[in-house]
Amino acid sequence: MGSVRTRKDTLFFDFRFLGERCREQTTLPDTKPNRKRLETILARIEAEITLGTFEYGKYFPNSSMVNKMAEIQAKQKPGYTKTPLFKAFAIEWYSEMEPTWRTSTAETYQRYIDKRLIPHFGEMEVSQITKAHILKYRSNVAKQSDGKLKPKTINKFIKCLNMIMNEAADRYKFTPPHLNIKPLKEEKVHIQPLSIQEVNLILANVRPDWRDYLLVRFFTGMRTGEIDGLKWENVDFERREILVRETFSMGRWEYTKNDGSQREIEMSTLVYNTLQERYQNRDVSCEMVFHANNGSPVHTPNFLRRVWTPLLAYLKIKYRKPYQTRHTAATLWLAAGENPNWIAKQMGHSTTTMLFSVYARYVPNLTRKDGSAMERLLASNIDGFHEPVNEAEKQADEELSVSVNQAQQSEAEEVAFWDQFLTPSQTSSMGGRY
């Protein structure tokens, strides 16, 4: 039989449920009307306990006893099977999955499990973790971080938890609790590619020993780990291709980000000539294309501190992370009118979705041709319409025309050169690309 009692002049419930003593504090002062009101509620609680319909969370949603009572009730249901604690299962799951991941991925998941998930769910049976538990955990993480953790980061914690719970549900035949939980809304990532003028300014002012490194980054779209891990054996001068086969990240060699990142990047003439000259003047004892003075791969923190950051500050260019060189390559290719499928292949993307959703908006700004096609259509078909003349565009067009003519002349000379050594059938099979 429960009772309404008082502690420090405020009333609280004292009753038993599922063999446990339950004491739930209220904020009501000890007055006769308040006591009578709580006794009425207590009588209703005991009636529901007798009928087997009492829901602890309905009356005391913020109580620490809610989860405990839910676990006890679940264990008393027919067909209940004891399952391992989350801590033990998470460690077992990690050991089984670790060989399938890259080292950096494995370390990340290990950190999430040890520092984020086990402290909260470790002592709970995997089958007793509910949707409410996950939502409450996510909410607490967001509040405790005070905005320091972005939704994208919190979603990664939950993704790791979901993978563990999926495997547990499959093994112990229960419904995964995370189903229908939508991820937190993530902020849209805005890229900041550099303009061709900024690229030219950087290449003209960077230290000579770093110029080749930045030039290749700007005009190949390689990721930091890919270019830092580039070896001469993966530079095919005969086919004019850079073979992306591995990366150097966090001080070790690893497989690329994914299978799609295993690709062949076609070298432009500028990149080809730069690497050719570098190869001829290389240190034959070093297998790396770009390396520190001692022959080890590029040390990114050192590059940031001593080269990249002071260079942008000196040139008064808004700071970007070096990864923006990859985005710069994509926008320049699009602005030059390259085939989107070819660009996606160069970047290591499986589809062109990324190009049109992220990069395409920069094309008009780079080409200064936004709407000009319509202007030319009207000028050629509508009487009395004259296309407005933009002097800046006119000059740019003239410069572009000169560049195109020079490129065509250079290509014609190159074709003539190779024609001395190739039969007609070989020439046609080359498809015009050398």
Side-chain angles (χ1 to χ4, degrees):
M1 186 70 180
S3 63
V4 175
R5 303 176 60 189
T6 183
R7 180 191 294 126
K8 295 182 180 180
D9 297 326
T10 57
L11 299 172
F12 68 92
F13 295 102
D14 188 351
F15 62 98
R16 297 190 71 81
F17 177 53
L18 299 177
E20 299 285 336
R21 185 178 181 184
C22 307
R23 284 172 287 192
E24 295 294 344
Q25 186 73 41
T26 74
T27 58
L28 298 175
D30 186 6
T31 64
K32 190 173 182 179
N34 288 340
R35 183 177 286 271
K36 185 175 181 179
R37 186 185 310 166
L38 293 189
E39 287 173 348
T40 301
I41 296 174
L42 180 59
R44 190 185 312 147
I45 289 174
E46 291 187 327
E48 292 183 6
I49 291 175
T50 302
L51 295 171
T53 60
F54 177 62
E55 296 180 18
Y56 208 96
K58 176 181 175 182
Y59 286 89
F60 311 108
N62 299 318
S63 172
S64 60
M65 293 288 285
V66 172
N67 292 340
K68 182 178 181 179
M69 291 303 170
E71 292 174 12
I72 294 174
Q73 284 180 305
K75 292 177 181 179
Q76 293 180 353
K77 290 181 179 179
Y80 165 75
T81 302
K82 184 175 178 60
T83 54
L85 298 181
F86 178 85
K87 178 179 181 180
F89 185 80
I91 293 174
E92 179 184 1
W93 172 82
Y94 177 84
S95 66
E96 294 171 349
M97 296 298 296
E98 184 180 10
T100 68
W101 297 323
R102 293 199 310 164
T103 304
S104 57
T105 302
E107 289 181 352
T108 298
Y109 284 141
Q110 180 77 74
R111 187 167 61 251
Y112 290 167
I113 292 171
D114 291 345
K115 298 184 179 298
R116 293 289 177 178
L117 302 180
I118 287 181
H120 188 85
F121 299 102
E123 300 306 317
M124 299 176 64
E125 289 186 33
V126 287
S127 62
Q128 303 309 309
I129 297 175
T130 65
K131 179 179 179 179
H133 292 143
I134 298 175
L135 290 174
K136 186 175 182 180
Y137 166 72
R138 187 174 71 177
S139 176
N140 289 340
V141 170
K143 291 177 182 177
Q144 291 170 4
S145 71
D146 195 26
K148 294 180 181 179
L149 290 179
K150 295 183 177 180
K152 181 177 181 179
T153 303
I154 298 175
N155 284 339
K156 289 180 180 179
F157 302 159
I158 302 302
K159 177 185 177 182
C160 181
L161 173 62
N162 292 349
M163 290 192 294
I164 296 172
M165 294 306 299
N166 267 334
E167 184 60 29
D170 183 59
R171 293 188 189 185
Y172 299 104
K173 310 304 178 186
F174 63 87
T175 303
H178 60 273
L179 298 180
N180 301 320
I181 295 181
K182 294 183 179 180
L184 296 176
K185 185 175 180 59
E186 300 178 7
E187 298 178 3
K188 184 180 175 78
V189 177
H190 297 285
I191 64 171
Q192 296 179 306
L194 292 103
S195 68
I196 189 63
Q197 291 79 12
E198 290 173 325
V199 170
N200 192 37
L201 193 61
I202 288 172
L203 295 179
N205 288 275
V206 70
R207 282 170 35 184
D209 54 329
W210 285 100
R211 183 179 182 276
D212 293 352
Y213 176 77
L214 284 178
L215 184 146
V216 174
R217 289 194 68 148
F218 276 126
F219 300 116
T220 63
M222 297 178 74
R223 297 181 176 91
T224 300
E226 293 171 348
I227 189 168
D228 290 352
L230 182 61
K231 299 176 182 177
W232 283 118
E233 66 184 46
N234 290 324
V235 178
D236 188 339
F237 288 111
E238 183 177 349
R239 293 179 176 274
R240 296 180 64 135
E241 291 179 339
I242 295 174
L243 314 179
V244 180
R245 297 293 182 264
E246 56 188 342
T247 68
F248 185 80
S249 177
M250 300 176 68
R252 57 176 168 263
W253 299 97
E254 288 190 321
Y255 187 72
T256 51
K257 183 179 180 181
N258 49 50
D259 291 340
S261 296
Q262 295 272 315
R263 64 194 189 278
E264 295 75 42
I265 299 175
E266 296 183 32
M267 289 188 277
S268 64
T269 301
L270 181 61
V271 172
Y272 176 82
N273 291 340
T274 297
L275 291 181
Q276 271 279 22
E277 182 178 352
R278 190 174 185 85
Y279 179 77
Q280 293 168 3
N281 299 314
R282 76 190 187 284
D283 178 355
V284 294
S285 65
C286 184
E287 63 178 351
M288 306 298 301
V289 177
F290 301 104
H291 54 82
N293 292 333
N294 61 1
S296 61
V298 174
H299 188 247
T300 300
N302 183 53
F303 167 69
L304 283 172
R305 184 178 65 255
R306 302 183 62 182
V307 180
W308 182 256
T309 302
L311 177 62
L312 294 189
Y314 171 74
L315 297 176
K316 294 182 173 54
I317 295 176
K318 181 180 178 181
Y319 182 81
R320 283 101 150 167
K321 293 181 179 180
Y323 195 85
Q324 294 297 329
T325 59
R326 176 171 165 82
H327 299 315
T328 299
T331 55
L332 292 178
W333 279 327
L334 282 168
E338 293 288 1
N339 186 305
N341 288 314
W342 179 85
I343 298 174
K345 181 181 176 183
Q346 295 284 98
M347 300 287 288
H349 295 159
S350 57
T351 68
T352 58
T353 302
M354 176 71 77
L355 297 178
F356 295 119
S357 62
V358 177
Y359 299 120
R361 63 181 292 264
Y362 289 92
V363 176
N365 295 332
L366 290 172
T367 62
R368 300 187 301 277
K369 294 293 184 183
D370 191 19
S372 61
M374 177 60 75
E375 296 285 359
R376 288 193 294 273
L377 176 65
L378 294 175
S380 60
N381 291 278
I382 304 299
D383 294 337
F385 181 89
H386 299 285
E387 183 178 359
V389 177
N390 184 307
E391 292 300 328
E393 288 190 7
K394 182 178 179 181
Q395 181 179 354
D397 287 342
E398 292 174 352
E399 293 174 355
L400 179 61
S401 178
V402 171
S403 299
V404 169
N405 290 336
Q406 292 175 344
Q408 290 175 340
Q409 182 178 354
S410 176
E411 183 175 355
E413 293 173 353
E414 189 173 1
V415 170
F417 173 79
W418 283 106
D419 281 347
Q420 300 175 65
F421 307 99
L422 298 176
T423 64
S425 60
Q426 288 177 314
T427 305
S428 61
S429 66
M430 295 288 285
R433 284 186 177 272
Y434 302 95

